[in-house]
Amino acid sequence: MKKINIAIDGPSGVGKSTISNFISKKYGLKFINTGSFYRAVAYYFYEKYNKNLELIANEQFVLDNWKIEYISLDENGNVLLQNKNVSDKLRMDEISWWASYVSKYKIIRKQIVDFLQAYAAKNKGIIMDGRDTTSVVLKDAELKIFLWASPEIRAKRRLKQNKELGYSSDYEQLLNEIKKRDFQDMNREHDPLYKTEDSVLIDSTDLTFEQVTEKVSSLIDERVKDE
Ligand code: DC
């Protein structure tokens, strides 16, 4: 199959990573979750400075104490922080919140975008998900998707996941957090989340996982045919 690049953007909790991971295996693409880069920066400060995450709210402190060279990727596309696989640490709620701070900093964004673009230049056949992969990182991707679901359905899905994992959570609180993060992601000054004109909108509010992956698969099949 001809190798193509795919970019998927969308708000938090919409299922981008689960879909991208599935599609990457089905089509033999390399999956890069760009959010894990911002999370890795947040986790670096979390671990090194005694969980004093207030420090990360100070942009100058972050810039003075961070080097993009701390990050690399393993052959499976996992982010390594100073050569250690920290994937299992990056999904913590505190890290989600503080990652949204570092993702506002222009210089941090530029470092990460440059890293991802250099990687993409050397590795054709990738699928990236995030907030700016369609608009900035993989502007020339053969397929661009904006994956959406209403905040209410995302909160319900998260509530169900938490229940299955044995965590108790409150629907209204989850909904509020989702709305707050949407607002931050869509209204920040640098590279905010939006649907580019050339992205295909998939509204997954009333779709199952299988229906979404079928839609994505048929878009890929069309693109591969055209190539
Ligand atoms: O997708 P995620 O929840 O793992 O992302 C973590 C944070 O990083 C989130 O606040 C949005 C931000 N992010 C970004 O600004 N640009 C990206 N390409 C990916 C994530």
Side-chain angles (χ1 to χ4, degrees):
M1 184 188 114
K2 182 119 191 183
K3 287 198 164 169
I4 63 166
N5 287 341
I6 303 170
I8 304 194
D9 285 332
S12 88
V14 74
K16 298 181 299 289
S17 303
T18 319
I19 303 282
S20 302
N21 195 24
F22 176 89
I23 292 291
S24 74
K25 294 199 170 105
K26 178 169 173 187
Y27 288 93
L29 302 166
K30 212 150 232 178
F31 169 41
I32 309 290
N33 170 235
T34 65
S36 58
F37 282 69
Y38 297 93
R39 288 173 180 269
V41 181
Y43 182 69
Y44 174 78
F45 287 90
Y46 178 86
E47 206 200 15
K48 178 148 186 192
Y49 296 99
N50 254 339
K51 306 186 180 168
N52 181 0
L53 291 178
E54 307 261 313
L55 289 174
I56 223 172
N58 178 338
E59 182 170 2
Q60 198 54 49
F61 181 84
V62 172
L63 298 182
D64 289 344
N65 291 284
W66 169 254
K67 286 192 175 75
I68 189 67
E69 290 76 20
Y70 294 159
I71 280 184
S72 54
L73 281 175
D74 72 9
E75 67 282 1
N76 299 316
N78 295 310
V79 167
L80 304 180
L81 185 60
Q82 298 184 306
N83 295 319
K84 272 197 292 192
N85 187 339
V86 288
S87 308
D88 59 328
K89 308 281 196 326
L90 301 183
R91 311 309 303 177
M92 287 187 281
D93 279 345
E94 279 166 296
I95 300 298
S96 305
W97 180 241
W98 289 93
S100 72
Y101 274 79
V102 293
S103 67
K104 282 191 251 173
Y105 302 154
K106 189 176 176 183
I107 294 179
I108 297 290
R109 295 203 71 80
K110 181 165 177 358
Q111 290 178 348
I112 292 176
V113 169
D114 286 350
F115 182 106
L116 292 167
Q117 289 183 330
Y119 180 85
K122 282 197 227 122
N123 298 272
K124 182 84 184 177
I126 50 186
I127 179 164
M128 277 190 192
D129 80 318
R131 307 292 189 287
D132 62 349
T133 67
T134 58
S135 57
V136 179
V137 183
L138 279 187
K139 254 193 206 152
D140 298 330
E142 283 79 1
L143 175 60
K144 299 189 193 182
I145 293 172
F146 188 83
L147 188 61
W148 176 254
S150 71
E152 289 74 16
I153 198 80
R154 282 183 273 145
K156 276 188 201 150
R157 288 177 191 162
R158 176 54 71 87
L159 192 68
K160 186 165 168 262
Q161 269 172 9
N162 285 354
K163 224 182 204 164
E164 283 162 9
L165 292 168
Y167 305 143
S168 66
S169 44
D170 175 64
Y171 171 78
E172 288 301 329
Q173 195 186 336
L174 287 174
L175 182 60
N176 263 333
E177 282 166 10
I178 285 173
K179 287 185 173 169
K180 228 160 66 180
R181 282 186 64 192
D182 281 3
F183 185 86
Q184 283 222 54
D185 287 345
M186 293 177 180
N187 293 283
R188 66 166 177 239
E189 191 185 350
H190 308 296
D191 309 334
L193 170 69
Y194 72 99
K195 182 196 159 304
T196 63
E197 262 178 35
D198 55 358
S199 294
V200 180
L201 171 70
I202 299 183
D203 184 348
S204 71
T205 304
D206 298 314
L207 300 179
T208 62
F209 171 80
E210 287 73 24
Q211 288 171 319
V212 177
T213 53
E214 267 168 34
K215 271 185 190 277
V216 176
S217 298
S218 64
L219 289 166
I220 296 174
D221 296 341
E222 268 171 34
R223 296 299 188 283
V224 172
K225 213 168 52 197
D226 295 344
E227 283 291 304

